[in-house]
C-alpha cells in the first residue's frame, strides 16, 4: 500500500515513521519550503506522547532534543505554593515529560524520516484530490500529482484536506484566550531541575520551566478578544511585552520579572479549537492530528494526541483485513479520547460558547456520526490508561470490534 501524507508537521511525520515501520510505502508532501526557523512556540510532550514515540523508535532522539519535566508546582497570585505534584511516568527516562520547541520536534522527526529513507518533499502545496475505486490522486499547486492507495490529511487546524472529507465542517473557533510564548536567559526565577511552575495570576495564567542551560521557557494565557492576522504580524515583541506586564505586576510571583527580562523572542497566537468535524474519512482519505480534532492548548496534549494517532493508525492498517475496516477501527478507537481532550481543554480555557454548549455540540455531531455508520451502542468512555497502553503497544494487536463511539 502506498500512502500519501499531506503535511510534514508533527502529525504527518510521526504517521510516516509509524506507517513505515508497519511496512507501508509512504510519501510526505509539505507545503512550506524546508526551513529550520523557530517561530517561538514550545510544547511539552507528556508520558503518553513519549510512549507513542517509543513504538516507532523515536523516543530517544526526541528526548535528547528536549529537557525532562518530572514535577509541577502551582503557585497562587499571592506567591504561596498551592501544591507540588509528580508529572507522568518518571521511572523510565524515555517516558518522562519533555519540554522542547515545536520546531525542534518537527526537525528531529523529519531528520529521522529522511534517515530511514522516507520521501519528504517540500514546497508541494496541496490543491485537490480525486478518488476512484483503485486509489486517490493528489494535485499540487505547481501542477504535479501523486498517486496512492490512501491520502492522510495531517495539515493542521486550518487543513485544506478537511473540506474533501467533510464539506460541512465548521471553521476553527477562537477559544477566548491569547497565548504568549517567550524565552529568556536573563531571568532567574525560582526553579529546580525537572520542574514546571504554573502561576495562577489575577490577570493572566502563566507557566515556566528553566532548561539545564539556564534558559527560561514561558507562556501566558490572557482572556481577551481575538487578534487579527494583521495585529499578530505587525505588533512588535516590545509592544506585546508592554501589554502583558500590567496584567502580571499586581501578583506576588516571578511572572512579571520573567516577561520584563524577555527580549525579541516573544510571540502571541490565538488559542483555537475544532470540535465539529463529523466526517474524518472517505474511502480513500483520512484526517489525523489537528486536522481532525484540534483542541485549545490548555491541557498541553495536542502533540501527544497526534503521536498517539500515528501509532493507532499504523497498527489499524497493519492488523485489519482491508483499508475500510482499518479506518473504521481507527476512528472508533480515537474519537472518545480526542473528544475528551477537546472538552477538558475547553474547561480550562475562557471561551464562548461555554463548555456546556460545547458538550452539546460534541454530542450532536457524535450522534450524526453514529447514525451515518449505523451504530446504536450505548455511550463509551475514553480509553483507560491500561487500555491506552495496549492500543499503543506495537506488539499487541488492535481489537477490530471496538464499541461504537458515543459520548465522551
Amino acid at each position: 500500500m502506498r500512502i500519501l501524507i499531506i503535511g510534514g508537521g508533527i502529525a504527518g511525520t510521526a504517521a510516516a515513521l509509524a506507517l513505515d515501520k508497519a511496512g507501508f510505502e509512504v510519501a510526505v508532501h509539505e507545503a512550506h519550503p524546508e526551513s529550520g526557523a523557530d517561530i517561538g512556540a514550545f510544547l511539552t510532550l507528556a508520558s503518553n506522547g513519549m510512549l507513542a514515540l517509543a513504538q516507532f523508535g523515536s523516543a530517544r532522539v526526541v528526548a535528547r532534543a528536549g529537557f525532562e519535566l518530572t514535577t509541577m508546582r502551582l503557585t497562587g497570585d499571592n506567591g504561596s505554593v498551592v501544591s507540588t505534584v509528580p508529572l507522568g511516568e518518571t521511572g523510565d527516562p524515555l517516558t518522562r515529560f519533555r519540554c522542547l520547541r515545536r520546531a525542534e520536534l518537527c526537525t528531529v522527526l523529519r531528520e529521522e524520516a529522511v534517515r530511514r529513507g522516507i520521501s519528504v518533499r517540500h514546497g508541494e502545496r496541496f490543491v485537490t484530490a480525486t478518488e476512484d475505486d483503485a486509489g486517490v490522486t493528489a494535485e499540487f499547486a505547481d501542477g504535479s500529482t501523486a498517486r496512492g492507495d490512501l491520502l492522510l490529511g495531517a495539515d493542521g487546524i486550518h487543513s485544506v484536506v478537511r473540506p474533501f472529507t467533510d464539506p460541512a465542517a465548521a471553521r476553527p473557533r477562537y477559544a477566548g484566550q491569547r497565548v504568549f510564548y517567550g524565552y529568556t536567559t536573563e531571568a532567574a526565577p525560582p526553579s529546580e531541575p525537572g520542574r514546571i511552575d504554573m502561576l495562577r495570576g489575577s490577570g493572566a495564567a502563566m507557566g515556566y520551566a528553566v532548561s539545564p542551560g539556564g534558559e527560561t521557557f514561558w507562556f501566558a494565557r490572557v482572556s481577551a478578544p481575538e487578534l487579527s492576522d494583521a495585529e499578530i504580524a505587525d505588533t512588535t515583541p516590545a509592544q506585546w511585552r508592554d501589554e502583558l506586564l500590567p496584567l502580571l505586576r499586581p501578583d506576588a510571583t516571578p511572572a512579571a520579572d520573567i516577561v520584563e527580562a524577555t527580549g525579541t523572542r516573544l510571540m502571541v497566537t490565538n488559542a483555537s479549537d475544532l470540535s465539529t468535524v463529523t466526517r474524518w474519512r472517505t474511502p480513500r482519505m483520512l484526517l489525523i492530528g489537528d486536522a481532525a480534532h484540534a483542541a485549545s492548548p490548555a491541557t498541553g496534549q495536542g502533540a501527544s494526541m497526534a503521536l498517539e494517532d500515528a501509532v493507532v493508525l499504523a497498527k489499524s492498517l497493519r492488523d485489519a483485513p482491508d483499508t475500510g475496516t482499518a479506518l473504521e477501527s481507527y476512528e472508533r478507537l480515537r474519537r472518545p479520547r480526542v473528544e475528551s481532550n477537546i472538552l477538558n481543554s475547553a474547561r480550562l480555557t475562557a471561551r464562548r460558547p461555554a463548555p456546556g454548549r460545547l458538550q452539546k455540540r460534541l454530542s450532536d455531531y457524535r450522534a450524526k456520526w453514529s447514525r451515518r455508520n449505523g451504530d446504536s451502542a450505548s455511550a463509551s468512555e475514553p480509553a483507560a490508561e491500561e487500555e491506552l497502553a495496549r492500543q499503543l503497544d506495537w506488539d499487541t494487536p488492535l481489537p477490530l470490534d471496538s464499541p461504537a463511539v458515543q459520548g465522551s
Side-chain angles (χ1 to χ4, degrees), residues 315-323 325-327 329 400:
K315 289 180 62 179
S316 296
L317 288 166
R318 179 197 69 185
D319 297 345
D322 55 70
T323 301
T325 302
L327 299 189
S329 174
L400 300 180

Side-chain angles (χ1 to χ4, degrees), residues 4 70 77 80 105-106 112 139 159 172 182 201-202 224 268 278 291 315 327 344 365 373 401:
L4 310 178
T70 56
D77 58 8
S80 63
L105 177 57
C106 289
E112 187 67 8
E139 182 177 332
S159 172
S202 57
V268 182
T278 305
K315 289 180 62 179
L327 299 189
N344 288 337
Y365 90 75
N373 288 276
D401 58 348

Side-chain angles (χ1 to χ4, degrees), residues 7 31 44 62 80 99 117 144 184 192 199 222 227 232 244 252-253 306 319 389 398:
T44 56
V62 170
S80 63
C99 181
S144 63
T184 177
E192 290 180 1
L199 311 177
V222 177
L227 293 164
I232 292 174
L244 183 56
T253 74
D319 297 345
L398 284 177

Side-chain angles (χ1 to χ4, degrees), residues 40-163:
F42 67 92
L43 54 81
T44 56
L45 282 178
S47 293
N48 55 304
M50 295 301 297
L51 179 62
L53 283 166
Q55 307 312 306
F56 50 89
S58 297
R60 197 171 300 278
V61 292
V62 170
R64 286 198 297 265
F67 59 94
E68 65 181 37
L69 300 173
T70 56
T71 60
M72 178 176 68
R73 186 175 73 172
L74 176 63
T75 300
D77 58 8
N78 62 359
S80 63
V81 174
V82 177
S83 63
T84 302
V85 296
L87 280 178
E89 301 293 332
T90 59
D92 182 349
L94 292 185
T95 59
R96 293 173 186 166
F97 275 53
R98 282 301 191 286
C99 181
L100 72 168
R101 292 173 174 85
R102 178 174 292 274
E104 289 174 332
L105 177 57
C106 289
T107 297
V108 167
L109 293 176
R110 192 177 301 123
E111 289 175 348
E112 187 67 8
V114 171
R115 187 186 69 80
R116 298 185 192 185
I118 297 170
S119 174
V120 181
R121 301 173 62 89
H122 293 266
E124 295 196 340
R125 187 172 297 278
F126 174 84
V127 174
T128 190
T130 304
E131 294 179 84
D132 55 50
D133 290 341
V136 58
T137 301
E139 182 177 332
F140 303 96
D142 61 3
S144 63
T145 61
R147 180 75 174 170
D149 300 289
L150 179 66
L151 182 147
L152 302 183
D155 50 343
I157 191 170
H158 300 291
S159 172
V160 293
V161 177
R162 190 186 304 122

